[in-house]
Amino acid sequence: MATTTAPRSTTGTASSATARWKGIAAVGVLAVALVVAPLVSSPYINYQLSSIAVFAVAILGLNIVMGYTGQVSLGQSAFLGLGAYIAAYGILHGWPGPLTLLLCAVVPAVVGMLVALAAARLRGLALAMITLALPIVGVPLARRFDEFTGGSQGQVVSWLRAPESIGLANDQWRYYVVVLIAVVAFVLARNLVRGRIGRSFAIVKENEAVALSMGVSPYRTKVLAFTIASLLGGVSGFMYLAIVQYTSPETLVFATSINLVAAMVIGGSASIVGTVLGAVYYVLVPVLAGQVNSSRTALISGAVLLAVLFLLPAGLVSLPRRLARLRSSRGRPPQPPAHPTTSDEAAQPASAPPAATTDQHS
Amino acid sequence: MSYFIQVVVDGLSNGAIYAAIALAIVLVYRATGLINFAQGGMAVTATFVAYALTRVGVPVLLALVVAVVFGFLLGALLERGVMRHFEGGDPDTAVVATIALLVVLSGLSAYFFGYEPHPFPSLFPNRTIEVLGVFVSLRSIGTITVLLVVMIALQLLFRSTKLGLAMRAVADNPRSSALSGLPVSRLLMIGWGLAAALGAIAGVLVAPQLFISPGMLDFVLVYALASAILGGLDSPIGAVVAAAFIGVVENLAGAYLDFIGDDLKIAVPFIAVIVILVVRPQGLFGRKVTVRV
């Protein structure tokens, strides 16, 4: 916890080594927990955990384009839906699973790239408009082209049954498949945002003119961010179909996009850990609110959303930092939280190996 | 030809509803730089107040007036109680706060009235009249007229009153306005109040057609957002023209293009919007903003 209070101060080699071991230990504990969880939980819990993995990947994509690159996207649900429909089509036509997954990644990525090639010239709200149009146009299209999509009834599939030899129940098997995909996506995304491309995302978000002067093309960077976001959206669609076994035009409605944006901000903009927290929030709050009072789900979820925004404007990921600050500066008035781009750094000691933190500051 | 004009008038009447909400969005955007997703929620809540009043026998017109006043107070209260807190912070957080307000407000409406749609009495008689050999519905004419009156009133407010001048000053540069002694925060409250009042008018006008439910304006909100952005978010006239364009194009496409039909007609104005924005990124009437280092 010591590193949490002073993420920016110069940490000695000894303490950074301990922090590193702590980080590795945390990842190890997390990995064991992820592997063991479905074996000891009910199918219902496994379904919820799998849902978190699904929406974590969707929010991850959104976070890359919105949190890291600063480009508003209100269309992530369209890519989720597109991925789910491609997966359903592939399964109903007997395509092999890996090929279907590949197509669920590539086709939305190409669509996203084409949209971005036209839209990335636009700034702010014009861009928001174009992304907003994707689910709005997508829903009636999905209803219309019913030979591909099953129309308003949607497509029911039955796949990804656990192989007999493994001895797992279907829900456990599906959990492992989606969590594996999610872990791969997160590891790749984490490396991406920590590297050269991540830095170009950050500078484009900060100031496009400066980016240009540093030889980073804002246009290409934005197109790339959009393409990655769409790719992850499509993959999450594949995962969605894996656990829900059903998709319909409802999968891509605009409201889902809005809720994903809310979940991303709640979790923590421009933060990998925040993305997971956002997904947990996205899945669990409606479930818990429904358990408190099933006819007041919306009211309770909205109130929780507002409360979190009031208390933690930089997202759930800033909670440890916020607590630390309250503890360390009891006399002084609490300062407003730092810019959201820095939220990842503060959260790192909690779960990820902090070796890369020093990397980022150098 | 007569059918064509009917379709256009109905489209204009839909467009008038989109325009009202779009104007409300522009109003808040100009004052605070935020897209207000709560706009639909505020409008529906105010419309439910009117609904409750008509249920106990209050005439629709009076109910409309009460709803408008209630909407104004609600908007001002939400600005003061909630949005003020997010001023000057991360704009993404503030926008998500408006989403939260939207969810809370529709949750509240559902708490009192449930999710199922209820019939809502119309302000105008449900008849068609003949104008120059063309039959048009009184509802469409009435909606368009009311919206035109509201627009003229808003224009007068902004152009020829001291309050309007102050609000424009705050929208243009809040810091300078504060330095010259304008009560910026109170003016922001008034801006939100006006936006919600506009929403109340739109809600009461459209409720007889859509039936009132907490999600009644979800779709209208999307159209209104499209109109506001297409018109250039800082231009009220632009928003209205864009809303009329969207309403008419959508109706014409639904009526005349067999392939499009009723279900796909929403796609047409949106694709048009995309094409226009790609060609003209600042919107139809927006000012081009040059970014300097």
Side-chain angles (χ1 to χ4, degrees):
Chain A
M1 272 333 261
T3 46
T4 323
T5 51
R8 244 165 267 257
S9 62
T10 47
T11 34
T13 17
S15 72
S16 83
T18 24
R20 189 189 184 117
W21 282 113
K22 268 187 196 167
I24 291 174
V27 169
V29 170
L30 185 69
V32 171
L34 281 178
V35 170
V36 175
L39 303 176
V40 296
S41 311
S42 67
Y44 175 75
I45 301 279
N46 285 341
Y47 178 80
Q48 301 299 352
L49 291 175
S50 309
S51 296
I52 291 174
V54 171
F55 290 105
V57 173
I59 295 169
L60 180 65
L62 192 61
N63 216 337
I64 283 181
V65 72
M66 229 175 129
Y68 286 98
T69 321
Q71 309 300 312
V72 180
S73 169
L74 300 175
Q76 188 68 352
S77 65
F79 297 105
L80 178 94
L82 181 60
Y85 273 122
I86 294 168
Y89 190 81
I91 290 147
L92 293 173
H93 287 75
W95 299 349
L99 174 70
T100 312
L101 175 58
L102 186 69
L103 285 174
C104 286
V106 171
V107 175
V110 170
V111 172
M113 189 178 74
L114 290 177
V115 171
L117 282 174
R121 295 193 308 121
L122 307 173
R123 259 165 236 284
L125 297 168
L127 189 63
M129 175 65 235
I130 292 197
T131 55
L132 174 152
L134 294 172
I136 299 295
V137 175
V139 170
L141 280 179
R143 292 217 177 93
R144 173 57 70 90
F145 293 102
D146 46 4
E147 64 258 52
F148 295 106
T149 64
S152 300
Q153 283 86 44
Q155 300 276 39
V156 182
V157 295
S158 174
W159 66 304
L160 221 62
R161 304 193 162 282
E164 298 280 334
S165 53
I166 293 187
L168 289 172
N170 285 340
D171 59 286
Q172 293 165 329
W173 174 245
R174 286 169 192 157
Y175 167 94
Y176 283 124
V177 170
V178 294
V179 167
L180 180 68
I181 297 174
V183 167
V184 170
F186 269 83
V187 169
L188 291 178
R190 178 181 163 277
N191 291 343
L192 182 90
V193 298
R194 296 274 166 81
R196 191 179 59 81
I197 293 175
R199 285 195 293 277
S200 65
F201 286 165
I203 193 67
V204 166
K205 177 181 181 173
E206 199 64 35
N207 188 327
E208 291 188 18
V210 172
L212 208 55
S213 76
M214 293 166 81
V216 174
S217 156
Y219 177 73
R220 270 196 235 159
T221 308
K222 287 189 225 171
V223 171
L224 179 66
F226 253 105
T227 309
I228 295 169
S230 324
L231 184 148
L232 289 171
V235 169
S236 73
F238 176 90
M239 297 158 71
Y240 178 86
L241 197 76
I243 60 162
V244 181
Q245 305 273 314
Y246 168 72
T247 182
S248 73
E250 288 296 306
T251 314
L252 55 150
V253 288
F254 177 57
T256 306
S257 282
I258 290 295
N259 290 334
L260 288 173
V261 170
M264 186 207 89
V265 171
I266 281 290
S269 180
S271 159
I272 294 289
V273 178
T275 303
V276 180
L277 295 177
V280 172
Y281 170 89
Y282 182 94
V283 173
L284 286 194
V285 166
V287 171
L288 296 178
Q291 275 174 1
V292 173
N293 189 333
S294 60
S295 58
R296 312 270 176 269
T297 311
L299 193 55
I300 299 172
S301 317
V304 172
L305 181 55
L306 260 187
V308 176
L309 287 174
F310 258 91
L311 298 173
L312 297 166
L316 292 171
V317 75
S318 64
L319 182 62
R321 191 166 29 130
R322 183 96 180 180
L323 290 178
R325 183 166 287 151
L326 283 179
R327 217 177 330 147
S328 68
S329 63
R330 206 158 271 162
R332 284 174 289 154
Q335 289 159 345
H339 197 268
T341 36
T342 57
S343 50
D344 218 18
E345 294 155 25
Q348 268 165 16
S351 70
T357 321
T358 39
D359 216 354
Q360 236 171 17
H361 289 298
S362 58
Chain B
M1 189 59 198
S2 152
Y3 177 62
F4 174 80
I5 292 177
Q6 224 170 299
V7 171
V8 169
V9 171
D10 287 346
L12 279 177
S13 138
N14 289 348
I17 299 294
Y18 310 155
I21 304 282
L23 272 180
I25 290 173
V26 169
L27 210 58
V28 169
Y29 181 81
R30 293 233 296 181
T32 59
L34 285 183
I35 297 191
N36 181 9
F37 282 99
Q39 190 59 60
M42 297 196 298
V44 170
T45 310
T47 311
F48 265 115
V49 170
Y51 171 73
L53 287 175
T54 57
R55 278 257 296 251
V56 295
V58 177
V60 186
L61 192 61
L62 185 60
L64 170 66
V65 173
V66 175
V68 167
V69 173
F70 173 83
F72 184 86
L73 295 177
L74 176 71
L77 185 78
L78 289 180
E79 200 284 326
R80 180 69 193 84
V82 179
M83 294 314 294
R84 177 87 35 104
H85 183 79
F86 298 102
E87 248 169 56
D90 183 25
D92 280 355
T93 309
V95 170
V96 172
T98 70
I99 295 175
L101 283 181
L102 172 66
V103 178
V104 168
L105 286 173
S106 26
L108 265 182
S109 307
Y111 178 85
F112 288 110
F113 299 96
Y115 282 102
E116 65 280 7
H118 306 281
F120 189 93
S122 175
L123 200 55
F124 310 105
N126 190 14
R127 279 191 291 122
T128 53
I129 52 163
E130 196 184 336
V131 185
L132 305 169
V134 181
F135 287 95
V136 286
S137 75
L138 261 183
R139 189 183 54 75
S140 293
I141 303 273
T143 307
I144 297 169
T145 315
V146 170
L147 258 298
L148 281 178
V149 170
V150 168
M151 265 179 60
I152 292 168
L154 268 185
Q155 194 71 10
L156 284 177
L157 172 74
F158 277 107
R159 291 284 153 195
S160 17
T161 65
K162 251 191 157 164
L163 176 68
L165 182 67
M167 287 180 71
R168 281 191 291 146
V170 171
D172 192 54
N173 190 334
R175 206 167 299 168
S176 301
S177 314
L179 286 176
S180 32
L182 289 176
V184 172
S185 48
R186 201 177 315 152
L187 289 167
L188 285 181
M189 272 173 78
I190 293 175
W192 271 73
L194 279 179
L198 254 178
I201 297 176
V204 170
L205 286 177
V206 81
Q209 183 187 352
L210 296 179
F211 285 54
I212 185 165
S213 70
M216 171 179 83
L217 290 180
D218 287 358
F219 240 60
V220 176
L221 181 71
V222 172
Y223 280 103
L225 268 179
S227 316
I229 296 172
L230 177 64
L233 264 164
D234 45 10
S235 158
I237 303 289
V240 171
V241 173
F245 167 82
I246 288 180
V248 171
V249 166
E250 177 199 35
N251 246 24
L252 284 177
Y256 284 100
L257 302 175
D258 279 343
F259 168 74
I260 303 289
D262 224 29
D263 50 346
L264 262 187
K265 69 179 186 181
I266 185 171
V268 176
F270 275 86
I271 289 168
V273 168
I274 292 179
V275 172
I276 292 172
L277 280 181
V278 168
V279 178
R280 231 186 115 74
Q282 67 271 39
L284 286 177
F285 293 82
R287 265 169 297 150
K288 192 156 189 167
V289 181
T290 322
V291 181
R292 294 192 189 83
V293 182

